[in-house]
Structure formats: C-alpha cells, structure tokens
Amino acid sequence: MRPPPAADRPERLPRAVLVAERWVRTHPLAVGLFTVASVAAIGLGQTYMGGRGPTPLTYAFPLAVCSYGLGLLAGVVAAIAVSVLWLIDAMNHGLPQTQANVMVALRLFSNLVIVAMAAVASATARAREGYLDAHEELGRLRSDLVSAFSHDLRSPLTAIIGYTDMVRDSVHDAATTEILDRILINAHHLDRLIGDMLTAGDGDRTAPLDVSTFAAAALFEDLRGEFDGTPRTKQVTLVWQVDPQTPLLRTDRTKLASVVRNLVNNALKFTASGSVSVRAGTDPDTGWHRIEVEDTGPGISPDAVPHVFDRFYRANAARRTSGFGLGLFIVKRLTELLGGAVTVRSQIGHGTCFTVTLPSQSHDGTASTT
C-alpha cells in the first residue's frame, strides 16, 4: 500500500492526541491504576538508584495524568502522597530534618502546580466537548424542525395548487387567468422552496439524480419567468446572460435550477439597489460549465466568508433579514451532489459573486473524470 502523502501525516498526531486525551477523561479506573502503578514503580526505582534519580520530573507525568483523568481532588491527594514518599525516602538516606522539610515543601508546591494546570486543562476540555455536543444537538433539533415544518406545509400547498388549476380551467377571462397564473407560479415556487428545505433536513441522505440534457439559455428563461412574477424592489435590475458558446448541460435540471434560484434569491435579499447579474459560460481552464451570480450589495465580511455555506449560519448583517440560514447550505449540498463546486468572493462595499462550476455528466448521472 502506498504511504499517505506527507501533507496528510501531520493530521494523524493531533487526532491521536485527541483520542488519548478523551480516553484519559473517560476511564477513571484505568487512570487510577496507572497512577498507583507509576508512583510505585518510580518509588522503587528511586530506592534502587539510591535517591539519585530525577524525582520531580519522573513524578510529574503520573500526577498530571491523575489530575486530568480523576479531577483536582484526586490530583491533590496524589501530590501529597508523593511528597510524603519523598520525605520518607529522604529521612532514610539521612537528610537533615530542616533541609528535608524545605525540600518537601518545594516539591509539594511544584506538584500542586502541575496538578492545578492539569485540572484546568481537563475542565476546559470537558467544557469544550459539552459545547460541541450541545451545538450538534441544536443542529439536529433545527434540522428535525425544518423537516417537520416542510412536511406539514406540503399538504395544504398541494390543495391550493390543485384548486387553482381547477378554477383556471373554468375561467375564460384574460385578466383573471393572468392572476391565477401568477398564483400558480408562486405556489410552485413555494413548493420548490419546501423541497429545498427538506433536502437541507435530510442529513447525509443522498437524493437520486434525474439527469437530462438542456441548454443553459432554456434554464435561464424558465427562471426569468419565475422571478418576473415575484415582487421585488424596482431599484434592483436582474440581468440574465448566457455565453453563446456555452455547450449543452447534462445534469439534474431541477437541482441545478434550485441552486441558481437560491443564489439569486440570496443576492436579491441583500441588494437594496444596483443589479444582480446571472451569467452562464464555461471555465477557460477546465472546460467545466460555470454559472456566476454577482450582486452590488454590501458584501460579506472576511471573517464570515468561510462560514456562509454552513447550515443555519447567518452573519451579523443577515440577522436583519428574514430566513433560516439554509439557502447557501442547500446550494453547496446540491452542487456537490451534482459533482461540482461552489465558491464565493466578496469585498465589503463592492458586492459578492458566487461561482458554481459543474463537470460534464455521464449517462448514469456520475461526474465524468475526463
């Protein structure tokens, strides 16, 4: 088997340290036995060497392990026991009482410092682990809430769409038909948003791909119709551009439409004036399909950029707008499902641009490696 790349090897040490650290905190009996055995072995070694061994250094490790795994009280008891053992050993070797008392006090102090540092480190690790567990549980609860909420919305929405279709078929007035068409457009749009929310709440479950071949211009034309029927501020211009040389896309059209739709919705939400540009073309370096959604909004702060695709993440500026913080998470999830990638570049005061790159697709829906 080929050894792992050198860049991957440093990751093993921190991971092994974390595993060992957690093992020490979760196996008190083993830690207690280790402490007793280590202190006994060191004491016998010191006796055998005639007291010439580096006692403070050799006792430091078992004291630290004891305090880290069993707590401050156990560490203090072990530190006192070690100091008493040293005093007995010193008296057996004829060390004067006064000098022995001073040395024992100094060693007890150093032992207690070691114990205190290990206990603080252990408490910090436990607090960190508790925070991570609580954060993970909160994420699961939010995901379950989104899934349940979305499922409950689907039934009445299906009824609205069905009854609207029935009324539309029986109406022959042009103005009324246009109003009903707009209702249907927005109802179907809401249905797709619910589907996206369900996708976000499905955890690691992978939805199957429905691969088809289509032109980017046709996809953009459908999305243009959706957004033309959606109210938005007149101070923002929505521009759709397709490079004439763009080849046909072969991917899941519904999922790609959800990706673009979420990016456009996100851009419109944070752009008070100016424009939102949606561009389709090919990447000159890789030949992959590329879709860009660029706005003239306020931009994203550098510290928030690495987290914008996290589930339920909302930057400080985003807290003033409505939403769950799921749109960009859905974009990343669906893009990766399609075999592509999504990146973002942004500058405060100069807008944001999201770029989706997609490879050509094989007939079974898997990304081509050629």
Side-chain angles (χ1 to χ4, degrees):
M1 180 181 295
R2 185 175 61 87
D8 295 338
R9 293 171 190 165
E11 297 180 0
R12 292 187 175 183
L13 180 59
R15 188 175 300 177
V17 171
L18 289 175
V19 171
E21 175 269 326
R22 193 176 189 281
W23 189 91
V24 170
R25 287 189 290 107
T26 55
H27 293 77
L29 178 60
V31 171
L33 293 175
F34 169 80
T35 302
V36 173
S38 298
V39 170
I42 293 170
L44 290 174
Q46 291 294 325
T47 301
Y48 178 77
M49 295 173 63
R52 296 186 299 273
T55 307
L57 295 179
T58 51
Y59 278 125
F61 181 69
L63 286 177
V65 171
C66 176
S67 182
Y68 198 92
L70 301 180
L72 180 62
L73 181 60
V76 171
V77 172
I80 295 174
V82 165
S83 299
V84 171
L85 288 176
W86 189 90
L87 177 61
I88 295 173
D89 185 65
M91 298 300 294
N92 290 336
H93 285 82
L95 194 68
Q97 182 69 44
T98 302
Q99 186 177 356
N101 290 340
V102 172
M103 294 298 296
V104 167
L106 291 175
R107 294 195 174 182
L108 177 60
F109 176 76
S110 63
N111 289 340
L112 291 177
V113 170
I114 293 172
V115 166
M117 292 175 62
V120 170
S122 178
T124 302
R126 293 177 192 277
R128 180 204 65 211
E129 190 173 44
Y131 168 78
L132 293 176
D133 289 343
H135 186 72
E136 184 178 350
E137 179 64 20
L138 179 61
R140 284 196 296 267
L141 290 175
R142 283 177 169 177
S143 179
D144 292 343
L145 176 63
V146 169
S147 296
F149 182 69
S150 302
H151 277 297
D152 289 342
L153 281 178
R154 267 273 167 82
S155 297
L157 183 60
T158 302
I160 291 173
I161 293 174
Y163 284 120
T164 304
D165 272 328
M166 290 175 56
V167 173
R168 186 188 181 283
D169 291 339
S170 62
V171 170
H172 303 287
D173 177 66
T176 305
T177 301
E178 182 179 356
I179 294 174
L180 293 173
D181 284 340
R182 288 189 176 275
I183 292 175
L184 285 172
I185 288 174
N186 284 279
H188 284 295
H189 177 54
L190 179 58
D191 184 59
R192 285 187 289 267
L193 289 177
I194 293 172
D196 289 343
M197 292 178 70
L198 288 172
T199 298
D202 277 344
D204 295 328
R205 190 170 63 190
T206 301
L209 295 180
D210 182 14
V211 177
S212 62
T213 302
F214 55 93
L219 175 67
F220 277 18
E221 189 61 31
D222 290 344
L223 291 172
R224 186 205 304 268
E226 287 185 27
F227 284 97
D228 285 347
T230 303
R232 67 172 184 272
T233 175
K234 295 182 179 179
Q235 296 177 322
V236 179
T237 303
L238 183 55
V239 181
W240 303 84
Q241 299 174 332
V242 179
D243 186 338
Q245 304 300 319
T246 303
L248 295 176
L249 288 153
R250 179 165 177 78
T251 186
D252 190 313
R253 179 168 178 156
T254 301
K255 290 181 176 57
L256 180 57
S258 293
V259 168
V260 179
R261 186 183 300 112
N262 274 288
L263 288 176
V264 174
N265 277 325
N266 186 76
L268 290 173
K269 182 188 300 184
F270 296 104
T271 305
S273 62
S275 64
V276 173
S277 300
V278 190
R279 300 183 292 268
T282 54
D283 189 296
D285 297 327
T286 63
W288 283 23
H289 295 284
R290 182 175 64 189
I291 297 176
E292 295 179 335
V293 178
E294 185 171 12
D295 62 58
T296 57
I300 306 172
S301 62
D303 60 327
V305 168
H307 305 287
V308 294
F309 296 109
D310 294 348
R311 190 192 316 219
F312 302 116
Y313 177 79
R314 304 189 70 207
N316 290 332
R319 298 183 191 277
R320 295 189 292 269
T321 62
S322 60
F324 290 98
L326 287 172
L328 294 179
F329 170 80
I330 292 169
V331 166
K332 186 173 187 295
R333 179 175 170 80
L334 292 180
T335 301
E336 291 177 347
L337 186 61
L338 296 175
V342 57
T343 57
V344 56
R345 68 177 189 274
S346 183
Q347 185 177 358
I348 294 294
H350 295 277
T352 303
C353 181
F354 287 90
T355 302
V356 174
T357 53
L358 294 172
S360 57
Q361 299 281 332
S362 61
H363 291 289
D364 60 355
T366 56
S368 173
T369 58
T370 59

